[in-house]
């Protein structure tokens, strides 16, 4: 896990979450901006997955439980597509709020992943 | 405003699963995923350490998944399942939460419900209440006519 990348990812997820919730409460249905923000969150998660798989080969080992780490990562990967799909079923303001909730949940999970990789002792 | 689409009465499903209820279901889904993930890790990695707490975790996770599905599915049958699972969750979080505060030695390992769901930002405590409120306002249409007026009002919320 690359720490600075993870912090960037965390910032993007939080920002995407707040933007979607604000736009949703302001009455906007999901649009290219909100779905794009979630797509970006998803792309960063995929990058994180690649980094996590490659990192141990470069001596960057997780201190904590890899099982737990990957459970969070796989769970997080499911959220943005799920939220976008859920939003497409009914394009209302609340679907935009759902996108925000999903992005914030991803942020929490990424933070937890960072703890597992750097702090938690297996 | 943008709720024009959702306000159009389509089916029973459209009425219950519309508007802000979709946020409720999404949060339920996230909690179900979190509980399922944690339970999976606990059972695979360290089931022997606390079989009781981890079995409870798995049970809770299953019920969260069931509640999420039941909230989405139309019909009176699923409506009852939704009530049953949500009441079960509420009872669980109250009973286990209280026990974990009064007799912490019973729950040396964190479960979803210990300390009233502290590990999950108390979402497990708040969510069943919102769920019950939602269900009470969105009864499935009775065969004859006795549809409560709550259904129309909440779509605009």
């Amino acid at each position: 896990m690359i720490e600075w990348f993870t912090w960037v990812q965390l910032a993007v997820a939080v920002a995407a979450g707040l933007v979607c919730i604000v736009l949703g409460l302001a009455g906007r249905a999901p649009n290219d901006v909100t779905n794009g923000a979630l797509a970006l969150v998803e792309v960063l998660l995929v990058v994180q997955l690649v980094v996590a798989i490659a990192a141990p080969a470069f001596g960057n080992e997780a201190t904590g439980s890899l099982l737990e780490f990957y459970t969070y990562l796989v769970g997080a990967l499911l959220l943005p597509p799920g939220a976008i799909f859920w939003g497409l079923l009914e394009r209302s303001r609340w679907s935009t709020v759902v996108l925000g909730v999903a992005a914030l949940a991803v942020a929490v999970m990424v933070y937890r992943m960072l703890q597992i990789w750097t702090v938690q002792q297996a | 405003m943008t709720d024009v689409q959702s306000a159009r009465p389509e089916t029973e499903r459209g009425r219950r699963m519309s508007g802000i209820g979709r946020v409720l279901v999404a949060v339920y889904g996230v909690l179900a995923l979190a509980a399922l993930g944690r339970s999976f890790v606990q059972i695979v990695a360290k089931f022997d350490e606390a079989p009781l707490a981890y079995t409870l975790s798995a049970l809770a996770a299953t019920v969260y998944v069931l509640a999420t599905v039941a909230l989405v599915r139309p019909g009176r049958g699923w409506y009852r399942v939704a009530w049953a699972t949500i009441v079960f969750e509420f009872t669980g979080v109250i009973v286990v939460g209280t026990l974990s505060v009064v007799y912490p030695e019973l729950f040396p390992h964190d479960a979803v419900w210990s300390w009233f769901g502290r590990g999950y930002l108390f979402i497990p405590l708040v969510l069943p209440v919102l769920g019950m409120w939602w269900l009470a306002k969105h009864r499935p249409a009775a065969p004859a006519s006795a549809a409560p007026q709550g259904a129309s009002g909440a779509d605009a919320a």
Side-chain angles (χ1 to χ4, degrees), chain B:
Chain B
M1 41 188 89
T2 42
D3 274 19
V4 193
Q5 292 158 316
S6 61
R8 195 177 297 140
E10 294 166 354
T11 56
E12 202 175 279
R13 175 204 179 94
R15 267 219 293 286
R16 180 134 60 91
M17 260 343 303
S18 205
I20 199 169
R22 298 182 73 80
V23 180
L24 182 71
V25 170
V27 177
Y28 254 104
V30 171
L31 190 64
L33 183 71
L36 211 57
R38 173 168 283 198
S39 169
F40 167 74
V41 170
Q42 288 171 338
I43 286 175
V44 171
K46 45 187 182 182
F47 184 74
D48 300 340
E49 287 177 25
L52 175 65
Y54 295 161
T55 304
L56 216 56
S57 267
L59 179 66
T62 312
V63 173
Y64 281 119
V65 174
L66 198 56
T68 309
V69 173
L71 279 171
V72 180
R73 306 296 297 173
R76 300 183 71 80
W78 281 110
Y79 180 78
R80 290 204 191 92
V81 174
W83 263 112
T85 50
I86 290 176
V87 166
F88 176 87
E89 286 166 15
F90 190 63
T91 313
V93 75
I94 294 296
V95 170
V96 174
T98 308
L99 281 175
S100 68
V101 172
V102 180
Y103 303 106
E105 66 275 12
L106 277 180
F107 297 91
H109 301 262
D110 262 4
V112 186
W113 290 331
S114 34
W115 287 87
F116 303 106
R118 181 180 55 180
Y120 293 88
L121 303 171
F122 297 104
I123 291 172
L125 182 61
V126 178
L127 210 49
V129 178
L130 294 177
M132 286 189 277
W133 168 79
W134 180 258
L135 284 176
K137 285 190 77 169
H138 296 254
R139 277 173 231 284
S145 65
Q149 78 278 51
S152 55
D155 277 349

Side-chain angles (χ1 to χ4, degrees), chain A residues 44-95:
Chain A
L44 293 180
L45 283 170
V46 173
V47 174
Q48 184 68 262
L49 176 65
V50 174
V51 170
I53 292 171
F58 297 91
N60 180 352
E61 302 263 6
T63 61
S65 158
L66 271 184
L67 174 70
E68 205 177 337
F69 179 87
Y70 279 108
T71 303
Y72 273 106
L73 186 46
V74 170
L77 277 163
L78 294 174
L79 284 178
I84 290 175
F85 174 71
W86 191 231
L88 289 177
L89 290 180
E90 180 187 282
R91 297 190 66 254
S92 77
R93 60 194 307 193
W94 297 112
S95 298

Side-chain angles (χ1 to χ4, degrees), chain A residues 1 9 13-14 22 35 38 45 54 57 77-78 80-81 88 90 93 109 115 118:
Chain A
M1 202 175 202
Q9 180 180 23
V14 169
V22 167
N35 285 342
L38 268 284
L45 283 170
L77 277 163
L78 294 174
L88 289 177
E90 180 187 282
R93 60 194 307 193
M109 293 165 91
Q115 284 185 322
T118 58

